[in-house]
Amino acid sequence: MSTEYLDRIASPADLRSLSRAQLRVLADELRQFVLQSVSRTGGHLSSNLGTVELTIALHHVFNTPHDRLVWDVGHQTYPHKILTGRREAMARLRQRGGISGFPKRSESEFDAFGTAHSSTSISAALGMAVASRNTGAARKHVAIIGDGAMTAGMAFEALNNAGVTPDVDLLVILNDNDMSISPPVGALNRYLARLMSGRFYAAARNVGKAVLSHVPPVFELARRFEEHAKGMVVPATFFEELGFTYYGPIDGHDLDSLVPTLQNLRQQNGPLFLHVVTKKGQGYKLAESDPVLYHGPGKFDPAVGIKPAATPAKLSFTQVFGQWLCDMAAADERLVGITPAMREGSGMVEFEQRFPRRYFDVGIAEQHAVTFAAGLACEGQKPVVAIYSTFLQRAYDQLIHDVALQNLDVTFALDRAGLVGADGATHAGNYDIAFTRCIPNMVVATPSDEAECRLLLSTCYQHPGPATVRYPRGVGTGAMPAPSLETVPLGKGVVRRQRQADPAGGVSILVFGTRLAAALEAAEALDATVVDMRFVKPLDASLVLEHASRYAGLVTLEEGCVMGGAGSAVAEVLNAAGRTTPLLQLGLPDTFIDHGDQAGLLAEVGLDGAGIEASIRRRFMPTMTIVPRHVASN
């Protein structure tokens, strides 16, 4: 692969001297580099292939990092990273000690704002623009947002504010690639599709490009097609009414359109809106034809493409949820499934196919998803909201006020609970136990394996009130779920291993979630009792107090933050009962944990079997006799 021009780029300043023809060659080289790089490390592919020319044009025209580029979602920034001095670092993308898969302020001065959740770019860029205005700094501010991210209310809140904010230099670029992660949904997408079919793609048939008749620089870029008068209709009254001057749509892969358009817009002030049309997977036919499959692939051979994986020996927790959802929907016609734009990620593809009238993808709109579910529950439906733990944080107010306060029957399936690996701190579901257990009326369930996951989903679904079931990314121990929809007693734990020696000389490990297997491993070395607590709320207080009276110490274990987590719930029970039994709380530390291999990260924070054993020995060995199992059994 030739990288003649890419080899010259150490920073964006190097590409500003390139001619338009050279930029086109650079785009081809950069696209191939992205493809080859991601195929070796895994990561986000389709979105990055689609932003190559746009990224080149932005850094060619704007004086970055002095001028601020704020990328929305952030998984479309690999070309940006490569052009801003991190080309060699791509070899360790999303690996422990390597660079992040998202913009990160601590990683580069070119990353003006850390983004991994959607729809934040316009708000952040507006804040920067106001700060520059207030301090007299002469710089430009550009927010690049996708059509999927534009479905979230926060984006429109920011547009509404920006349009009436005086004296700000803000350019919003709508990167319209006709999808987010899952296929696009909603009225906005339909509007954009109509606009494209009626204005942009019609240009290829000599109908003319859509431009604003009162903006001479952009008018000249329309190339005056034979029937250009048809393109003189303003296509975006909506954005104009919000106070933005609208331009476009233009081809986001055509540097001859992008560069002069951006150069003209850089000379203008005020809130500006540029509509750019790109294609996910551009330049790699396999990704173009299936951008969802190539959204976030693992390692693969670009010459061959992604091949169907062999049937895994274990079901993932997401697959367990997807099967349960279909089975419960078949048994209960009141069930309604809701996802905020994560159909594939949440395992709802089969559910949509089998129960299309009961499937709702609401777009990247977590707040709406939760209140929509509340409305359904008010009328006797049984909504199940499939949402990543980290995304539920965005709908916390709705969770409290619209669901829990009214004690509505909504079940939340929280995928990606705990550490998520390569996606890092932005996507880690470390806080849901702490922020849900403090809400009145909530049930908080923590299944320990795949079989328990199905049991607790059924249990929480049958509970007539709000409930969350949290489970991690990937597979567990391989415990095969039973096909039934049976339930377990609400708020009751189960002893999984009993200490062989005198309980008074040992510890009981109270496990909340999928660290159970690691706890059992440690318990074999320590001859400890292990309890699968199943529920953080309602907590099995009687079992906690029983073990507090029988054992020399208690240990709580969770793949969630220690502060305010399940261990804190146990401490509250002990304190209320006046018990002074020593308590060791194991979980995630009070820090953001960066990207890396899931197993490696768990070992780093001491939540693997060896780490759990070591922590217990450090805390309790000086004050008690822990008899290893092989000694106790003699």
Side-chain angles (χ1 to χ4, degrees), residues 71-83:
W71 296 87
D72 217 295
V73 180
H75 62 227
Q76 59 185 337
T77 55
Y78 296 1
H80 162 80
K81 287 175 179 282
I82 294 165
L83 295 177

Side-chain angles (χ1 to χ4, degrees), residues 20 28 40 49 65 114 126 134 139 142 145 151 159 162 203 211 213 243 266 464 504 522 529 544 552 575 616:
R20 199 81 53 77
D28 292 338
R40 290 191 290 266
L49 294 177
L126 176 60
N134 291 351
R139 60 165 54 97
V142 185
I145 184 169
T151 63
L159 288 171
V211 294
S213 59
R266 191 172 187 272
T529 290
V544 170
N575 184 60
I616 294 174

